[in-house]
Amino acid sequence: MKITANEARLYQIFLEWELEKKVDYDWDKGTAYADGEPLTRHQWKHGYYFMAGDNVMDSNDSRYWGPVPEEYIVGIVQYIIRKDREIIRLN
Protein backbone atom coordinates (compact mmCIF):
# COMPACT_ATOMS: atom_id res chain seq x y z
CA MET A 1 0.00 0.00 0.00
CA LYS A 2 1.07 3.57 -0.56
CA ILE A 3 2.33 5.26 2.61
CA THR A 4 1.94 9.00 3.11
CA ALA A 5 1.97 11.00 6.35
CA ASN A 6 -1.72 10.12 6.80
CA GLU A 7 -1.17 6.34 6.60
CA ALA A 8 1.98 6.58 8.72
CA ARG A 9 0.01 8.27 11.50
CA LEU A 10 -2.96 5.90 11.23
CA TYR A 11 -0.89 2.69 11.11
CA GLN A 12 2.19 3.85 13.03
CA ILE A 13 2.05 1.17 15.74
CA PHE A 14 1.71 -1.64 13.19
CA LEU A 15 4.32 -0.27 10.82
CA GLU A 16 6.83 0.03 13.67
CA TRP A 17 6.06 -3.51 14.80
CA GLU A 18 6.44 -5.01 11.32
CA LEU A 19 9.44 -2.94 10.23
CA GLU A 20 11.14 -2.94 13.64
CA LYS A 21 11.96 0.72 12.95
CA LYS A 22 10.81 4.09 14.30
CA VAL A 23 8.16 5.58 11.99
CA ASP A 24 7.83 9.37 11.74
CA TYR A 25 5.97 11.64 9.35
CA ASP A 26 6.14 15.19 8.06
CA TRP A 27 2.68 16.74 7.65
CA ASP A 28 3.97 19.65 5.56
CA LYS A 29 5.62 17.36 3.00
CA GLY A 30 3.08 14.54 3.37
CA THR A 31 5.99 12.12 3.73
CA ALA A 32 6.60 9.14 6.02
CA TYR A 33 9.97 7.93 7.30
CA ALA A 34 11.26 4.69 8.83
CA ASP A 35 14.43 5.34 10.85
CA GLY A 36 14.93 8.54 8.87
CA GLU A 37 14.65 6.89 5.43
CA PRO A 38 11.64 7.72 3.19
CA LEU A 39 8.83 5.15 3.47
CA THR A 40 6.57 5.23 0.42
CA ARG A 41 5.11 1.68 0.21
CA HIS A 42 4.48 -1.26 2.52
CA GLN A 43 3.29 -4.85 2.01
CA TRP A 44 1.64 -6.14 5.22
CA LYS A 45 3.21 -9.31 6.59
CA HIS A 46 0.46 -10.06 9.11
CA GLY A 47 -3.33 -10.32 9.03
CA TYR A 48 -5.15 -8.06 11.50
CA TYR A 49 -8.58 -8.36 13.13
CA PHE A 50 -10.87 -5.80 14.74
CA MET A 51 -12.06 -7.06 18.13
CA ALA A 52 -15.36 -5.64 19.36
CA GLY A 53 -16.42 -5.69 23.00
CA ASP A 54 -19.91 -6.42 24.23
CA ASN A 55 -20.57 -3.03 25.83
CA VAL A 56 -20.49 -0.22 23.30
CA MET A 57 -20.05 2.56 25.85
CA ASP A 58 -17.61 0.81 28.20
CA SER A 59 -15.44 -1.77 26.42
CA ASN A 60 -11.71 -2.08 26.01
CA ASP A 61 -11.56 -3.41 22.47
CA SER A 62 -9.95 -2.55 19.14
CA ARG A 63 -11.33 0.97 19.38
CA TYR A 64 -9.07 1.38 22.41
CA TRP A 65 -5.97 -0.77 21.62
CA GLY A 66 -6.23 -1.20 17.84
CA PRO A 67 -6.48 -4.23 15.55
CA VAL A 68 -5.04 -7.56 16.74
CA PRO A 69 -2.40 -9.45 14.71
CA GLU A 70 -3.66 -12.86 13.62
CA GLU A 71 -0.89 -14.73 15.44
CA TYR A 72 -2.12 -13.26 18.76
CA ILE A 73 -5.46 -15.07 18.40
CA VAL A 74 -5.30 -18.32 20.35
CA GLY A 75 -8.85 -19.66 20.17
CA ILE A 76 -12.26 -19.58 18.56
CA VAL A 77 -15.43 -18.46 20.34
CA GLN A 78 -17.90 -21.33 20.74
CA TYR A 79 -20.43 -19.80 23.14
CA ILE A 80 -21.79 -16.41 24.07
CA ILE A 81 -23.24 -16.08 27.56
CA ARG A 82 -25.53 -13.09 27.85
CA LYS A 83 -26.13 -11.18 31.07
CA ASP A 84 -29.65 -12.69 31.27
CA ARG A 85 -27.82 -16.09 31.35
CA GLU A 86 -28.98 -17.06 27.86
CA ILE A 87 -26.31 -19.25 26.22
CA ILE A 88 -25.85 -18.94 22.48
CA ARG A 89 -23.86 -21.70 20.75
CA LEU A 90 -21.88 -20.63 17.70
CA ASN A 91 -21.04 -23.11 14.95
Side-chain angles (χ1 to χ4, degrees), residues 21-34:
K21 297 178 178 181
K22 174 74 174 134
V23 173
D24 291 308
Y25 42 89
D26 183 331
W27 286 116
D28 295 330
K29 295 180 181 178
T31 306
Y33 302 93

